[in-house]
Amino acid sequence: MMLDLETAIALIRDTLLLQPGTTELLRLGGGALRLAFYVLLAAGLSEAVGESVVLFVNRVSPRRFAISLLISAFIFAFGYLFFALSVYLLARYALRIDVPFSFVAGMVALGQAPRLFGYLSFIPYLGLPISVLLWIWSVVATIVGVAEGLSLAPLEALLTVALGALILVSVQRTVGGPLIALARLARRQAAGVPLVTNRREWLELIDSAPEPGLAEPRVRARRRPGRKPGGAA
Amino acid sequence: MITLLIAVAIGALTLSLLLSPIETLGWWAGWYGEGLEHPHEASHAAYRRIGGDKEPRQFVVYLDGIAKVGAENYDDVQGLLNQLDAALPRAVILGDLMPYSVRNVGLLDERPLARFWRRMFEYKLAGKHSLLAFSINIRNLFQVLVAADQRYGPVYGRGEAQVMLTSLLRAGYVPGSGVPITVLGYSGGVQIGIVAARFLKRALDAPLTVVSLAGVMASDAGLDALDRLYDLRSPSDHVPLYGRVLFPGRWPLARGSHWNRLRRDGRLVNVVLGPMRHNGSESYLDDEAFANGAEVDNQTATATAIIAVLGEIEGSAVDAARS
């Protein structure tokens, strides 16, 4: 079943406005589920655009920049599908709710609709608070969807989503290591350069390779605890 | 109709905000085709010094406010720089940088929207369509936000430091000479000077001071590189207060911030000027202002205050060299 444009827009709008009734269409599967996954992919792409400063700072070429954005969108989508899997397992085995995985995945995917605005985090100075707000908004949208779809009280839905996230993080840090490494490798291959992502290394990169006139950055001497700098031993 | 206009304006502002970091990041990523070592060769400013040859005891780099469009200065700005040049025989004044472009490319030069900016500049000079002409200020204000952003600021600072360094070297600055450098910023130009300070200090290892004229600035790591920051402002000008409110690092609560460290170390010097507005008539650079019913020359009053500060910086450098 294909969704018409009007229904598709209404479904996304209702999710953004945290309105009830969004899971009814997902329960039918087909077009609504497909739409939810398109939303997830588009949200991933939008987030990747918002965070593209990493690609610029690492001096990625325009062609590889575009490829990197697409790869990041897929990695984002896969990440949320794994999150959906942990919510599904909780619903099935802890809460004894019999729902198909595709339905839970659709709920989680549609809950990321607020992050369709993720590109706004590229805005200077205001971008970081915007990205935090979008993240909170998408968490709330996911909780609203899970509460409705699994017929849970809001607090139960909150706990389910929080536990789902906890399981995901635990799995990522243990058996999920190879998948994380694979995602990193895919990002690096797409960018064509080793990607520096943490702030300290980032500043070192900007400080490095001095052009004529700019001197080498000085390596700061590390102080030993309990000793005054420069003082006699 | 009004709703549509407001929607179009909000859309245009959002798009403009979104695109504002592109020049800085694109330059860093090499997307403009030039290396990091030089600003854009074809369109950079002439790097002219104000006045004739001097035996310098100080180099002053002026970074104009957000109305700046290119290498040429507005008459009131040029008037101020000429007064500084005349009063300080041992100071080299550089005043033709475009602080709102890490490539030092003016709005009227090689840009996709150069025609649009030329038209806006004509409006600004003619005093017509002031709301449209204000788009120049908004465009440059967004660059101040880019410089204040912790993600983009270091890249901006590196680029701007390179522009300032090129200007200094072409004006005869000898690296390693220890001749003090003063960045004189007006309004948003102060933020640009501060983000460049860390890199400029590293490049030249000379005494570095920022003189802020009604500056709007964030608490940036560049403040740590400054020997001093002179903050000149009028109590009747509220624009510098926006920086104090909008940038959390400037709040007294943020005790460990770069700004509060600057204050605690005694490197912040406040200089209170007479009643002046931020821009336009009766502003810091107005040479035909009126106050209390009498005609006054704010530009000269501002220049006198800056000359006193620059003289103090020069004097301390001489004292330091002697000792």
Side-chain angles (χ1 to χ4, degrees):
Chain A
M1 182 188 75
M2 279 293 288
L3 279 188
D4 60 277
L5 187 64
E6 206 175 319
T7 313
I9 290 172
L11 189 58
I12 294 170
R13 185 197 58 209
D14 288 350
T15 305
L16 292 174
L17 297 174
L18 312 175
Q19 293 292 314
T22 52
T23 56
E24 289 309 311
L25 274 172
L26 289 175
R27 216 178 281 279
L28 299 174
L33 270 183
R34 268 200 300 278
L35 175 74
F37 296 123
Y38 292 148
V39 165
L40 183 63
L41 270 179
L45 189 61
S46 184
E47 284 272 314
V49 169
E51 291 167 5
S52 61
V53 59
V54 173
L55 300 174
F56 279 111
V57 169
N58 284 281
R59 294 184 184 143
V60 173
S61 68
R63 190 177 66 86
R64 285 187 175 273
F65 187 92
I67 298 168
S68 296
L69 291 183
L70 290 175
I71 294 282
S72 293
F74 279 106
I75 291 172
F76 177 92
F78 271 108
Y80 274 93
L81 289 182
F82 279 106
F83 173 56
L85 182 64
S86 59
V87 172
Y88 166 75
L89 292 174
L90 271 173
R92 179 132 194 150
Y93 297 106
L95 302 170
R96 306 276 174 204
I97 301 169
D98 192 16
V99 283
F101 170 67
S102 58
F103 174 64
V104 177
M107 279 190 314
V108 169
L110 201 58
Q112 305 318 306
R115 292 166 88 169
L116 288 170
F117 302 110
Y119 65 93
L120 292 175
S121 56
F122 195 69
I123 285 178
Y125 202 72
L126 304 171
L128 291 176
I130 287 174
S131 73
V132 172
L133 286 176
L134 290 175
W135 181 80
I136 293 170
W137 189 4
S138 69
V139 168
V140 174
T142 308
I143 291 169
V144 168
V146 166
E148 187 186 276
L150 302 182
S151 306
L152 298 173
L155 189 63
E156 289 173 324
L158 169 70
L159 282 174
T160 307
V161 169
L163 273 175
L166 195 67
I167 292 170
L168 181 68
V169 171
S170 309
V171 170
Q172 274 177 347
R173 300 218 166 158
T174 50
V175 292
L179 279 179
I180 303 274
L182 193 66
R184 246 185 233 139
L185 182 69
R187 278 206 176 101
R188 186 186 161 157
Q189 288 294 321
V193 288
L195 285 177
V196 169
T197 52
N198 84 52
R199 190 167 157 75
R200 189 179 55 77
E201 289 178 5
W202 193 323
L203 287 175
E204 279 171 10
L205 182 69
I206 294 167
D207 268 347
S208 67
E211 57 284 80
L214 279 184
E216 290 272 8
R218 285 184 196 153
V219 179
R220 282 188 187 165
R222 290 206 176 146
R223 292 179 192 173
R224 285 195 215 174
R227 291 192 180 188
K228 286 183 182 175
Chain B
M1 184 63 184
I2 290 174
T3 316
L4 181 70
L5 275 176
I6 291 171
V8 168
I10 290 173
L13 279 176
T14 308
L15 185 66
S16 175
L17 255 175
L18 277 168
L19 295 178
S20 58
I22 295 292
E23 182 176 356
T24 301
L25 296 176
W27 162 78
W28 174 257
W31 288 15
Y32 290 98
E34 63 228 37
L36 293 176
E37 60 273 15
H38 300 294
H40 197 275
E41 270 302 322
S43 54
H44 64 63
Y47 294 110
R48 288 161 303 200
R49 55 161 71 180
I50 313 287
D53 281 348
K54 294 175 176 178
E55 194 185 318
R57 275 199 192 147
Q58 179 177 206
F59 281 75
V60 180
V61 182
Y62 176 74
L63 302 179
D64 202 3
I66 55 173
K68 180 92 168 162
V69 291
E72 291 296 320
N73 288 314
Y74 291 102
D75 288 346
D76 51 0
V77 170
Q78 194 58 45
L80 172 77
L81 298 180
N82 289 341
Q83 288 199 49
L84 300 185
D85 177 63
L88 297 161
R90 308 292 293 271
V92 173
I93 316 282
L94 304 165
D96 61 354
L97 302 185
M98 172 58 180
Y100 307 103
S101 161
V102 290
R103 300 184 302 142
N104 200 27
V105 177
L107 298 188
L108 317 182
D109 300 327
E110 295 171 17
R111 286 180 179 273
L113 292 179
R115 280 182 64 184
F116 170 78
W117 295 124
R118 262 181 228 131
R119 178 61 63 88
M120 294 305 112
F121 186 51
E122 283 166 16
Y123 289 159
K124 195 176 258 299
L125 291 182
K128 288 197 300 190
H129 308 298
S130 52
L131 202 61
L132 275 176
F134 196 68
S135 58
I136 289 174
N137 300 50
I138 290 174
R139 184 262 170 208
N140 290 340
L141 173 68
F142 289 171
Q143 293 305 307
V144 175
L145 289 181
V146 173
D149 188 303
Q150 57 176 325
R151 300 166 295 173
Y152 312 133
V155 178
Y156 201 112
R158 168 86 186 249
E160 193 56 35
Q162 187 61 58
V163 169
M164 288 159 77
L165 187 65
T166 308
S167 176
L168 285 162
L169 296 180
R170 290 192 187 187
Y173 189 89
V174 180
S177 64
V179 174
I181 296 153
T182 302
V183 178
L184 168 61
Y186 178 31
S187 190
V190 179
Q191 175 62 27
I192 308 298
I194 287 172
V195 290
R198 194 165 67 87
F199 300 95
L200 208 55
K201 181 80 174 178
R202 194 186 93 203
L204 300 174
D205 201 17
L208 181 61
T209 308
V210 165
V211 177
S212 157
L213 177 61
V216 178
M217 58 201 136
S219 171
D220 188 271
L223 291 170
D224 295 344
L226 301 183
D227 291 272
R228 270 189 184 178
L229 188 146
Y230 290 84
D231 191 12
L232 282 67
R233 71 176 192 89
S234 163
S236 48
D237 170 18
H238 300 302
V239 174
L241 298 181
Y242 297 158
R244 211 185 275 183
V245 174
L246 293 175
F247 300 119
R250 300 268 318 262
W251 300 350
L253 275 175
R255 289 187 57 77
S257 73
H258 302 287
W259 176 262
N260 285 321
R261 280 211 296 271
L262 183 88
R263 286 173 57 158
R264 273 202 304 278
D265 297 349
R267 290 180 291 127
L268 175 67
V269 183
N270 288 301
V271 179
V272 180
L273 301 177
M276 296 182 201
R277 294 170 64 175
H278 193 74
N279 54 335
S281 65
E282 299 181 42
S283 71
Y284 297 94
L285 302 185
D286 189 354
D287 53 4
E288 291 171 356
F290 291 89
N292 303 322
E295 197 174 320
V296 290
D297 183 351
N298 279 356
Q299 191 185 97
T300 298
T302 304
T304 306
I306 295 172
I307 288 161
V309 168
L310 295 179
E312 192 178 306
I313 295 165
E314 218 173 277
S316 344
V318 171
D319 292 346
R322 276 194 195 129
S323 64

